[in-house]
Amino acid sequence: MTTYIENNLENIRSKFLLMGQLATDSLQLAMESLLEGDIQKAKIVRKKDEEIDNLENDLSANVTSHLSTHAPVATDLRLLVSTMKASHEIERIGDEAKAIARRSKNTAIHDFNKIPEMGEIALEMIRDALSVFAEFDEKKAKNIWTTDLKVDQLNLDNMSFCQDLVNQDPASASSIFEMLFISKSLERIADHAVNISKEVVFMATSRDVRHAKEFKKSKLKKTLN
Amino acid sequence: MTDSKKEKKKEKISKQFAISIQGVDFSYGENQVLFDVNLDIPEKKVMAFIGPSGCGKSTLLRTINRMNDLIDNSRISKGKILIQGTDIHDKSVDVIELRKKVGMVFQKSNPFPKSIYQNVAYGLHIQGIKNKRVVDQKVEESLTRAALWEEVKDRLNENAYGLSGGQQQRLCIARTLAVEPEIILMDEPCSALDPVATGRVEELILSLKEQYTIVVVTHNMQQAGRISDETAFFYLGKLIECDQTKTIFLNPSKKQTEDYISGKFG
């Protein structure tokens, strides 16, 4: 019975990490598709998104079944609740990566300003979020939250950059808007990484930090300054 | 601080709790089953005792109204139990009065082979209350508090054995309430009941805590989670951990507690 419970939980944990790996690969490919203009990579991203969606469905079914049959408590309960919620964040990352890949076909501009840097940082944030899920490290989790501020700033830079571009070249407006949407997708991906790491804090410590005042962006900005 | 001052301070603190168990060792003959148990149970709260079979939780429950006195060679060899600041083993304490104050509901419902009415009125008759109007009123009051009145008001003179298991258990609770206890001890009160009857008894426990201090021994972790304010986990005769129920079931501080409530042992 005990082994059965442990196997179940391990299976759920593994599915989550697999989803995370697929989402990381998707974003990597979406960025390559954008920066290298590689349409084939965009197609792979779409396929990976389907895999992520299917895994999310599987994981939800496994969690629901475990909750209904074993009525877990303490660490097991926190693992299940957090994993279910974090898996939705991963699924959203997959969607954003797919959106970036789709938009990569419509951008005809060559200067992506801060987007390559945002992509690198967002990828690192997802990897870090998955790594704190696999092995909890509170310091690393908190680093993700402060790194998110940097991504927000880069997104703002992109917005003013795009504004200037539109003023200079109104004919390319639709292409520039695509770039803006891509920047926003990366900013959202960083937010999802933050949300995952906050779920992990709950999973590991039972502290709910999602809306904790001391970790709000405005507070974090002050501590950095 | 001198020893007597310390003792007085301790007693003052213990008066703030309905029950204060202080360093209790308990043995059945040579077999020690409780080891240095220290536990304060607050007033008008539900405290759940959990732990694997043989961990001493029922023994501890039974020491609170001295039910173990009925077992030969059983004794508290160390420590004491205070109820509202009074040592229950003090010579001045009348055991009958103690058990009136600290009622008990058992695992298996045990109605007397009498009518529903007589079951509830039994304790009142023992106390010498003979005024029919007073007894009638108490019976109705107790059955109402036990959430049974509406179901039995038209058949009070029928034999209690005709009630369902869940109704019999609520009848036993009504019988306990009739003598106006301050504390109610419940030893696995729902273990013989189906989920619907269990739900009724659990609702009843939640409503009763407004007026009574309740201590429940249960093997049902989800039940402890649903009805209790605090939970104490026992293992091999020792109190391992006592905390708010939500803390015990979300983030217990001891690994043994975590392993037990997660079904990893026991």
Side-chain angles (χ1 to χ4, degrees), chain A residues 40-142:
Chain A
Q40 285 310 312
K41 285 183 176 169
K43 282 182 183 166
I44 303 173
V45 172
R46 204 164 55 210
K47 277 195 173 174
K48 284 198 185 286
D49 185 54
E50 275 174 30
E51 278 183 66
I52 294 170
D53 290 352
N54 290 338
L55 272 170
E56 192 200 14
N57 285 341
D58 274 3
L59 190 145
S60 297
N62 290 162
V63 170
T64 309
S65 161
H66 195 94
L67 287 171
S68 62
T69 50
H70 297 291
V73 292
T75 305
D76 295 352
L77 176 65
R78 300 201 309 270
L79 167 79
L80 292 170
V81 171
S82 297
T83 307
M84 185 122 144
K85 287 160 83 181
S87 72
H88 186 61
E89 302 290 340
I90 294 281
E91 190 271 335
R92 299 293 300 132
I93 291 174
D95 286 349
E96 297 291 359
K98 190 171 74 170
I100 293 170
R102 192 183 65 238
R103 292 185 192 286
S104 69
K105 292 182 278 182
N106 306 328
T107 49
I109 49 178
H110 301 290
D111 184 355
F112 291 105
N113 193 37
K114 308 289 185 187
I115 282 179
E117 190 184 349
M118 280 177 89
E120 284 303 315
I121 298 173
L123 269 171
E124 207 48 43
M125 286 171 76
I126 305 172
R127 287 191 189 112
D128 284 349
L130 294 172
S131 116
V132 293
F133 178 88
E135 192 174 351
F136 182 59
D137 177 340
E138 186 152 345
K139 202 175 160 197
K140 206 170 185 179
K142 285 179 178 167

Side-chain angles (χ1 to χ4, degrees), chain B residues 70-107:
Chain B
L70 306 170
I71 301 169
D72 287 345
N73 295 325
S74 68
R75 65 200 164 89
I76 287 183
S77 50
K78 188 175 81 65
K80 58 186 173 182
I81 296 174
L82 308 183
I83 289 187
Q84 281 143 1
T86 304
D87 185 345
I88 62 168
H89 287 92
D90 193 272
K91 279 177 189 164
S92 64
V93 172
D94 177 350
V95 180
I96 305 294
E97 279 300 308
L98 172 71
R99 291 184 191 144
K100 201 179 116 189
K101 198 173 180 179
V102 186
M104 191 154 191
V105 176
F106 297 88
Q107 183 174 5

Side-chain angles (χ1 to χ4, degrees), chain B residues 109 163-170 192-193 197:
Chain B
S109 54
L163 296 174
S164 71
Q167 287 173 325
Q168 285 188 19
Q169 192 62 304
R170 279 182 281 145
L193 305 183

Side-chain angles (χ1 to χ4, degrees), chain B residues 94-150:
Chain B
D94 177 350
V95 180
I96 305 294
E97 279 300 308
L98 172 71
R99 291 184 191 144
K100 201 179 116 189
K101 198 173 180 179
V102 186
M104 191 154 191
V105 176
F106 297 88
Q107 183 174 5
K108 196 171 177 307
S109 54
N110 53 353
F112 303 135
K114 291 172 180 291
S115 72
I116 295 167
Y117 179 92
Q118 283 169 322
N119 261 276
V120 184
Y122 189 82
L124 302 168
H125 289 150
I126 297 270
Q127 282 178 27
I129 302 171
K130 288 188 178 132
N131 184 320
K132 190 168 181 325
R133 205 170 51 84
V134 174
V135 176
D136 282 356
Q137 196 186 336
K138 283 267 175 214
V139 168
E140 179 176 344
E141 228 175 73
S142 306
L143 285 167
T144 305
R145 276 192 211 162
L148 191 59
W149 176 251
E150 286 303 319

Side-chain angles (χ1 to χ4, degrees), chain A residues 192-211:
Chain A
H192 292 306
V194 169
N195 293 346
I196 293 167
S197 62
K198 286 186 174 177
E199 284 301 333
V200 175
V201 171
F202 175 75
M203 183 175 91
T205 67
S206 86
R207 269 184 301 131
D208 187 350
V209 294
R210 287 173 306 165
H211 306 294

Side-chain angles (χ1 to χ4, degrees), chain A residues 2 71 73-76 78 202 205-206, chain B residues 222 249-252 258 261-264:
Chain A
T2 303
V73 292
T75 305
D76 295 352
R78 300 201 309 270
F202 175 75
T205 67
S206 86
Chain B
Q222 281 63 50
F249 286 98
L250 192 60
N251 192 19
E258 165 104 35
I261 61 175
S262 310
K264 286 171 188 144

